[in-house]
Amino acid sequence: MSLRSSVFSALALSLALAGCSGSRPMTPQTGGIMLDTPQSVSPALIHAAPMAKTAILPASVMNVRPQGAIQGAAYTQIPGAASFAAAAPDGSLWVLSNAPAGNDKYIWHYVSGSWTNISGLASQLAVAPNGTLYAINSGGGTYSYSGGTWTGLGGGASAVTTAADGSFYVLSNGNTVGNDQAIWHNVGGTWSQVPGSGVSIAGSFDTGSYTLPNGTVSPGGLYIVNSVGSIYYENTGGTFVQLPANASMLAPTTVGGVFALGYPANANGNSIYYYNLSTPGWSAQSGAGVSISSNAGKLYVIGASGGIYSSPVTNTSGTITEYTIPTVGSLPSAIATGPDGALWFTEAIGTKIGRVTTSGAFTEYTMSTANSNPIDITTGSDGALWFTEQGGNKIGRVTASGVFTEYTIPTANSNPHGITTGPDGALWFTESNTNKIGRVTTSGAFTEYTISTANSIPYGITTGPEGALWFTEYNGNKIGRVTTSGTFTEYPLPTANGGSDRITTGPDGALWFTEYAGNKIGRVTTSGAFTEYPVPTASSSPTGITTGPDGALWFTENNAGEIGRVTTSGAFTEYTIPTAGSGPEGITTGPDGALWFAEGSGNKIGRISP
């Protein structure tokens, strides 16, 4: 099954929510591209209506299960009653309850089976990738909530949604209710009006690009529903693509499609539909709702009676495809996305650098240095692929056409391991034998810095969010940090003999790493505060790690032969690789939005859909 060809086509939502939907079937409708852009006043110039200060309600308030719904096998009813759902990228759920009377409702957060109420009342919610909550109240005030504090961001708004880059959009309330409203975009505190208008908006977190009959849907854009139910996608450049049919509310997924509630809106619930962007077309889903929202893992539906339901988004998520490398026993170790849109990987025993397209076509380039044992690989600032040669004691470079250059590391027998492109455009690498962090410019000039802890055995390395280099110390049991000028800081792991291996910058601005010996996924902030999450499978030997397109961390389980996924809140999912004893090592996000990994023992390159 391909990644997006049949997503949700059989969601098994045998969920007959209370009340029949009055929505029309999702048949193609005609309509011109939306060009109307109403004149509007910046929200920054309008005083935000005050956010209500309400007493914190006990969790017992949400210990109800409104009836009137028949649950299907794939659906779970969540305790509580709500009128609006906002799924968060970290897997949690924010809702507006159905109390008190009026347009503004209590705000609740559902995490790991527990509800928490926060002070305030709102009429709409949205959640950013970093967990910041945005709210609109019926007076038109736009607010953000973080760390227990509400911050007013402007007034005159009627709807809000967040974008994958952390920015957010609002609809104004300058026109009469029910008419199309102007769209405003807030980036880093600066407001700007964007083309178009509508009555409902939903930001896209999908990293894929899709060609529809009348245009291309590119990453980072905005879905818009206008006052007659027409559906548009606005790309970041201001171009529009119209989707066929009509809707009253949208819930975009991260895997090539969007859920919709039928049109016109019906207080008794609207039918649910799914539009597949890869193979354009609508499919009806059983069930009905008054509000829908989705994240990478779940679809949430609020029924007409206030019941809250979730269904896993799993029809293609976790599907693994494997491609056998032409050279037998090549021992693929690391993998990276190249500038040419292919995946590039190291063959430690084959003494080659491999390349595989997203359709599985291989090319292999043999290195001139015998027994060089290439280990790690990354794309350099010059557009070439750079890699470490463990046996050759060199840093190698190969162009997209297969032309090699090699640079000998000044310190003999350094055993270079991890490599990454630094914030200064140079390549930074670890020397596991000689206890150093090395730097080489794209012209081959070296600098080496000695780590304070003796015999620390540095392995993985990555560029941190604050512009320093972060690395693992397998034997030193620490996470190290070095500035581009060579100043070191080291942070001891909480777990003794954790064996930190690979490291990456997470979507939350922290550093995430694997503990090979400790069987944990670790997280450390840039100030050195640790959190550790035990991997569910015992003795799994987590190795490679990367940030996925769904805002979670994906990692390889070398000993267990599994691919793991963990949210930033610590919720795990594991997927078994079909090839027994595959020994997965490196992993990266591919240009197609899937996760690609190297099977060291299986001699294959694997692909898993997020």
Side-chain angles (χ1 to χ4, degrees):
M1 186 184 299
S2 63
L3 174 61
R4 300 178 178 96
S5 61
S6 59
V7 178
F8 309 109
S9 60
L11 246 184
L13 304 185
S14 52
L15 177 71
L17 299 181
C20 295
S21 168
S23 58
R24 304 170 186 168
M26 297 297 275
T27 53
Q29 304 290 322
T30 59
I33 295 298
M34 179 178 55
L35 297 176
D36 179 47
T37 303
Q39 292 185 351
S40 182
V41 177
S42 171
L45 301 178
I46 303 174
H47 180 70
M51 174 60 68
K53 295 181 180 180
T54 58
I56 302 300
L57 301 174
S60 59
V61 172
M62 295 294 273
N63 190 24
V64 295
R65 290 178 182 267
Q67 299 301 303
I70 301 173
Q71 298 180 51
Y75 241 92
T76 301
Q77 185 174 6
I78 297 171
S83 58
F84 184 90
D90 67 0
S92 65
L93 173 68
W94 290 85
V95 303
L96 297 177
S97 73
N98 51 11
N103 293 325
D104 290 327
K105 307 296 183 182
Y106 294 120
I107 304 167
W108 291 86
H109 192 198
Y110 189 72
V111 182
S112 302
S114 298
W115 285 106
T116 302
N117 174 234
I118 65 171
S119 180
L121 297 174
S123 57
Q124 278 200 29
L125 304 173
V127 191
N130 66 357
T132 298
L133 175 70
Y134 291 90
I136 295 288
N137 62 24
S138 60
T142 304
Y143 288 84
S144 66
Y145 181 85
S146 183
T149 301
W150 286 108
T151 302
L153 304 171
S158 60
V160 62
T161 191
T162 57
D165 62 1
S167 63
F168 68 94
Y169 294 85
V170 302
L171 292 178
S172 75
N173 62 0
N175 291 327
T176 305
V177 174
N179 290 323
D180 293 319
Q181 307 287 354
I183 305 169
W184 285 84
H185 191 195
N186 186 297
V187 181
T190 300
W191 290 98
S192 61
Q193 187 176 358
V194 299
S197 60
V199 295
S200 180
I201 50 177
S204 173
F205 284 49
D206 197 330
T207 60
S209 182
Y210 310 95
T211 301
L212 303 187
N214 59 345
T216 299
V217 170
S218 299
L222 178 71
Y223 285 95
I224 304 166
V225 175
N226 69 9
S227 57
V228 294
S230 297
I231 307 166
Y232 298 88
Y233 184 84
E234 183 172 359
N235 289 297
T236 54
T239 59
F240 292 92
V241 180
Q242 185 174 10
L243 276 62
N246 303 83
S248 58
M249 189 175 193
L250 301 177
T253 73
T254 61
V255 287
V258 57
F259 285 104
L261 291 180
Y263 176 85
N266 188 325
N268 291 321
N270 283 75
S271 299
I272 303 171
Y273 301 89
Y274 181 75
Y275 189 81
N276 192 323
L277 292 166
S278 294
T279 55
W282 288 101
S283 59
Q285 310 294 321
S286 50
V290 296
S291 178
I292 55 174
S293 185
S294 66
N295 54 27
K298 293 182 179 180
L299 169 69
Y300 294 94
V301 179
I302 306 297
S305 60
I308 308 168
Y309 299 87
S310 71
S311 182
V313 177
T314 56
N315 283 61
T316 58
S317 176
T319 299
I320 294 177
T321 307
E322 297 174 287
Y323 302 98
T324 301
I325 298 170
T327 298
V328 177
S330 67
L331 191 63
S333 176
I335 188 166
T337 295
D340 57 349
L343 288 304
W344 290 73
F345 58 95
T346 55
E347 300 183 32
I349 299 300
T351 313
K352 298 177 180 179
I353 298 298
R355 176 187 183 273
V356 60
T357 66
T358 54
S359 60
F362 283 92
T363 309
E364 295 175 288
Y365 300 100
T366 302
M367 299 168 60
S368 56
T369 300
N371 301 316
S372 62
N373 304 123
I375 294 296
D376 200 9
I377 190 168
T378 191
T379 296
S381 60
D382 58 350
L385 285 303
W386 289 76
F387 52 93
T388 52
E389 299 182 31
Q390 215 168 46
N393 199 51
K394 299 176 180 179
I395 299 299
R397 175 187 185 272
V398 60
T399 66
S401 59
V403 178
F404 285 93
T405 310
E406 295 174 292
Y407 302 99
T408 300
I409 298 170
T411 300
N413 302 314
S414 68
N415 196 18
H417 200 283
I419 189 169
T420 191
T421 297
D424 55 355
L427 287 304
W428 289 74
F429 58 95
T430 57
E431 301 182 27
S432 57
N433 274 1
T434 51
N435 210 53
K436 296 179 180 180
I437 300 298
R439 175 187 183 273
V440 60
T441 66
T442 53
S443 59
F446 283 91
T447 310
E448 295 173 289
Y449 303 97
T450 300
I451 301 169
S452 304
T453 300
N455 193 33
S456 68
I457 308 185
Y459 272 176
I461 188 169
T462 192
T463 294
E466 86 295 25
L469 287 303
W470 290 75
F471 57 94
T472 60
E473 300 182 39
Y474 187 92
N475 197 53
N477 208 50
K478 299 176 180 179
I479 298 298
R481 176 186 184 274
V482 60
T483 65
T484 53
S485 60
T487 301
F488 284 91
T489 309
E490 295 174 285
Y491 302 99
L493 266 63
T495 297
N497 302 314
S500 55
D501 197 321
R502 308 289 175 88
I503 189 168
T504 191
T505 295
D508 57 352
L511 288 303
W512 289 74
F513 57 94
T514 53
E515 296 185 36
Y516 185 90
N519 203 52
K520 298 177 180 179
I521 300 300
R523 175 186 184 272
V524 60
T525 66
T526 53
S527 60
F530 283 91
T531 309
E532 295 174 298
Y533 303 99
V535 178
T537 299
S539 304
S540 69
S541 302
T543 307
I545 189 167
T546 192
T547 294
D550 56 351
L553 287 303
W554 290 74
F555 59 96
T556 57
E557 300 181 32
N558 184 262
N559 189 53
E562 296 179 332
I563 299 299
R565 176 185 183 273
V566 60
T567 66
T568 53
S569 60
F572 282 89
T573 310
E574 295 173 290
Y575 305 93
T576 300
I577 298 170
T579 299
S582 58
E585 295 197 16
I587 187 168
T588 192
T589 296
D592 58 350
L595 285 304
W596 290 75
F597 54 94
E599 300 182 31
S601 301
N603 202 54
K604 298 176 180 179
I605 298 298
R607 175 188 184 276
I608 182 170
S609 56

